[in-house]
Amino acid sequence: MNKAKRAAVIAGNWKMNKTPSEAKALIEEMKPLVKDAGCDVVLCVPFIDIPAAVEAAKGSNIKIGAENVHFKASGAYTGEVSADMLTEAGVEYVVIGHSERRTYFGETDQTVNLRTLAALNAGLKAIVCVGETLEQRELGYTETLLKFQTKMALTNVTAEQLKNVIIAYEPVWAIGTGVTATAEQADEGNGFVRAAVAEVYGEDAAQALTVQYGGSMNAGNAEELLAKENVDGGLIGGASLKAKDFAAIVAAASK
Ligand code: 13P
């Protein structure tokens, strides 16, 4: 019964969608719809959209996030973007270790950890993604996997830095598939994440941690998912590309 201790955070993850001008238009449409939110509202957008998004969100309650960050401060890393570049551009959050990055771009638990440390050291809030595949779930490894991914991602993160960490439980089989985890599965997965954090940082720190659910969360199922004890918010893909749908999820989290 510690939900009141935690910040509810609804974050959109636009993935590779929206040009800068489309980003501006979507944020302008969202602003009035989410202005009375009783939760934190974040939009994580493609790197190239960041200046337009930060400008469009100015003076509103919408915070802008990135979808990745490199772990080195600078240097010969063609195509990469550093944490300092993001903070100077007005970014406050960053998604790290999304399953699409793990699957398509060779992201490992070790690079997820390095990126998390780089983000936190630069003062960004890290939204760290963990989640099992369907095969791992069917083999009975969900708890083991979620705890391992969580602990690996947080290696060398201090208790103080943990206050700037959000963990998003995103079952891989529920992402972009229209198959949502049941509210019970989401609650259980988020609970495994929280238990892993408790094992390392203690129960108080774990109770204060915001754990989101992500995977086909939408206007229709958000309220049931967010009512669960361990579900403190959502990381929203497809439904964050439509102002009304995203606003309905924000409204559900504000109840
Ligand atoms: P969908 O909401 O499109 O399933 O995506 C979830 C997700 O991957 C958010 O990061």
Side-chain angles (χ1 to χ4, degrees):
M1 303 306 282
N2 286 299
K3 215 165 167 168
K5 279 192 182 178
R6 310 193 275 267
V9 182
I10 297 296
N13 172 15
W14 285 3
K15 310 192 179 185
M16 197 174 74
N17 292 291
K18 305 292 171 187
T19 65
S21 62
E22 290 168 347
K24 178 179 181 329
L26 181 54
I27 292 172
E28 294 298 348
E29 194 184 346
M30 281 180 179
K31 275 198 289 192
L33 303 179
V34 302
K35 69 176 175 24
D36 299 320
C39 61
D40 293 345
V41 181
V42 183
L43 293 174
C44 299
V45 306
F47 288 135
I48 193 70
D49 291 350
I50 286 169
V54 167
E55 186 58 32
K58 225 172 234 168
S60 79
N61 58 331
I62 298 175
K63 311 274 191 230
I64 300 303
E67 298 177 14
N68 193 16
V69 60
H70 197 254
F71 37 86
K72 296 285 190 182
S74 63
Y77 302 100
T78 303
E80 294 294 325
V81 173
S82 75
D84 284 347
M85 293 173 190
L86 294 177
T87 54
E88 190 174 318
V91 167
E92 295 179 58
Y93 290 77
V94 59
V95 175
I96 295 172
H98 192 279
S99 68
E100 286 149 17
R101 295 219 56 89
R102 294 179 191 255
T103 303
Y104 305 135
F105 302 104
E107 197 76 65
T108 65
D109 288 315
Q110 192 185 15
T111 56
V112 169
N113 174 236
L114 293 174
R115 290 180 205 277
T116 302
L117 290 169
L120 294 172
N121 287 334
L124 290 163
K125 292 189 168 70
I127 302 176
V128 178
C129 302
V130 298
E132 83 288 0
T133 62
L134 188 57
E135 186 184 18
Q136 289 161 340
R137 171 168 283 269
E138 285 172 352
L139 287 168
Y141 292 146
T142 302
E143 178 174 3
T144 308
L145 198 279
L146 291 180
K147 287 188 164 181
F148 181 78
Q149 285 186 344
T150 300
K151 290 181 184 179
M152 284 290 284
L154 297 178
T155 304
N156 294 325
V157 170
T158 67
E160 194 54 33
Q161 287 177 319
L162 185 71
K163 294 175 184 161
N164 284 323
V165 173
I166 292 169
I167 300 194
Y169 166 49
E170 298 208 316
V172 178
W173 46 271
I175 295 176
T177 56
V179 180
T180 316
T182 64
E184 288 69 30
Q185 287 170 325
D187 194 44
E188 181 185 58
N190 283 25
F192 292 148
V193 168
R194 200 179 306 286
V197 170
E199 285 167 20
V200 180
Y201 296 91
E203 193 57 39
D204 284 356
Q207 289 300 334
L209 179 81
T210 295
V211 186
Q212 297 174 320
Y213 167 78
S216 300
M217 191 188 271
N218 58 41
N221 60 28
E223 191 166 344
E224 189 188 352
L225 289 161
L226 291 164
K228 288 291 177 187
E229 168 62 25
N230 278 307
V231 182
D232 307 314
L235 186 56
I236 324 297
S240 73
L241 298 170
K242 294 182 193 133
K244 285 203 180 85
D245 289 11
F246 187 68
I249 298 171
V250 168
S254 303
K255 281 185 182 162

